[in-house]
Amino acid sequence: MLKKLQHVAVIMDGNGRWAQLRGKPRTYGHVKGARIAKKIITHAADLKLKNLTLYAFSSENWFRPEGEVSFLMLLLGRYLKKESQNLHKKNIRFDVIGEVNKLPDNIQKAIHQTRELTKNNTGLHLAFAISYGSRQEIVLAAQALAEKVKNGELKVDQITEKSISDNLMTAGTPDPDLIIRTSGESRLSNFLMWQASYSELYFSPVLWPDYSVKDFNEAIQYYLGRERRFGKVFQKNEESFV
Ligand code: FPP
């Protein structure tokens, strides 16, 4: 069904504000946010979407108060432990983009185990962006390419858009067709900036803990009604949905 929509990426924003509006600690918003992430993942798998990338923890999030950072890590660890079998049963291939080596050892281990368990699955490719920053990703790709030039494995004029894409953490995954950000903010915030060159951007006013399957469907419907020209003359996306 979703032929023209291969990859949706989501900036799940607004957990803190949602909790504060209810007089609760920000961590309460993250707990609810994790439940919503689970719902959207299941829905995306049911829709037979090929790729879903969720921004779960940015490189900048390390600068949040220590208590909030460790809570987010705890939540992530708990999620992986609880959900890896479910992901596997749903034929989901779990993946992570980001500087995984900066994460606590137990999280690195849980990521490794879930990746291994699900690596041959053929359904939804689910990537969590954790300790991820687009600028850092581009810096690492530039360093990897420079290293190859230095070793004589690559010529300078072989540095192309493709070779840069192939050295990003998203190598092998098509660029996102649609990027959704919740909570009324309209920024990319260091998320998939190279990959977003031709993405449709969809900003929802809904805070992530209130986000629903209906909101997600609306974003997809919006995308399917857009014209994508990639700088050229191009046809309208004509696919119908649900
Ligand atoms: C943004 O809300 C959200 C995050 C920094 C983390 C996203 C994490 C989750 C949805 C939970 C973890 C997910 C899983 C699947 C374990 P914010 O805190 O920036 O909200 P604010 O903008 O209102 O302050």
Side-chain angles (χ1 to χ4, degrees):
M1 179 166 50
L2 294 169
K3 281 195 304 291
K4 287 175 187 148
L5 181 60
Q6 298 284 316
H7 185 181
V8 178
V10 186
I11 303 174
M12 309 180 285
D13 196 13
N15 293 350
R17 274 165 287 162
W18 183 88
Q20 278 161 345
L21 281 169
R22 285 158 180 77
K24 306 265 191 196
R26 294 172 56 81
T27 47
Y28 180 68
H30 295 317
V31 172
K32 183 79 197 301
R35 269 187 231 141
I36 303 302
K38 185 178 163 184
K39 264 196 206 161
I40 296 297
I41 292 165
T42 303
H43 179 60
D46 291 345
L47 283 179
K48 306 219 179 315
L49 182 70
K50 291 263 188 287
N51 300 279
L52 176 70
T53 301
L54 300 179
Y55 208 2
F57 191 86
S58 73
S59 302
E60 290 69 33
N61 286 159
W62 288 116
F63 301 106
R64 290 195 174 192
E66 211 236 294
E68 186 173 343
V69 171
S70 43
F71 188 84
L72 279 166
M73 291 299 144
L74 189 84
L75 205 57
L76 220 51
R78 210 191 289 165
Y79 173 86
L80 290 171
K81 202 164 159 217
K82 232 177 103 202
E83 292 302 322
S84 62
Q85 286 297 340
N86 279 339
L87 294 172
H88 189 43
K89 273 189 219 137
K90 292 193 175 95
N91 195 24
I92 293 173
R93 178 162 65 91
F94 176 80
D95 207 354
V96 168
I97 54 169
E99 294 178 273
V100 175
N101 58 336
K102 292 191 176 165
L103 297 168
D105 288 348
N106 66 318
I107 305 289
Q108 290 192 39
K109 199 170 153 209
I111 288 172
H112 177 73
Q113 285 171 344
T114 311
R115 259 181 172 156
E116 279 299 304
L117 177 70
T118 63
K119 69 180 178 194
N120 295 321
N121 290 346
T122 53
L124 176 72
H125 170 223
L126 168 68
F128 275 14
I130 310 175
S131 188
Y132 173 85
S134 194
R135 288 186 174 183
Q136 291 82 343
E137 177 188 38
I138 293 168
V139 166
L140 290 171
Q143 288 174 349
L145 289 167
E147 199 64 37
K148 285 180 195 162
V149 171
K150 194 174 95 183
N151 297 338
E153 293 164 45
L154 195 74
K155 298 202 175 84
V156 168
D157 62 6
Q158 288 174 317
I159 298 179
T160 59
E161 288 188 17
K162 181 168 188 314
S163 70
I164 292 176
S165 292
D166 289 346
N167 279 275
L168 296 176
M169 293 159 178
T170 50
T173 304
D175 289 340
D177 303 294
L178 172 65
I179 299 182
I180 299 169
R181 181 171 189 152
T182 62
S183 90
E185 307 290 351
S186 34
R187 295 186 291 277
L188 275 183
S189 298
N190 208 13
F191 185 52
L192 301 177
M193 293 186 309
W194 171 276
Q195 298 88 336
S197 296
Y198 291 101
S199 306
E200 287 290 340
L201 307 180
Y202 184 89
F203 300 106
S204 163
V206 178
L207 301 175
W208 179 252
D210 285 330
Y211 202 71
S212 67
V213 159
K214 183 170 167 278
D215 295 317
F216 189 75
N217 286 347
E218 273 171 20
I220 293 181
Q221 201 65 73
Y222 163 86
Y223 167 82
L224 295 174
R226 299 296 297 166
E227 231 176 83
R228 293 181 89 201
R229 289 184 294 277
F230 297 94
K232 305 167 195 158
V233 177
F234 205 67
Q235 297 155 356
K236 205 169 154 81
N237 286 332
E238 279 159 355
E239 197 170 6
S240 66
F241 170 66
V242 288

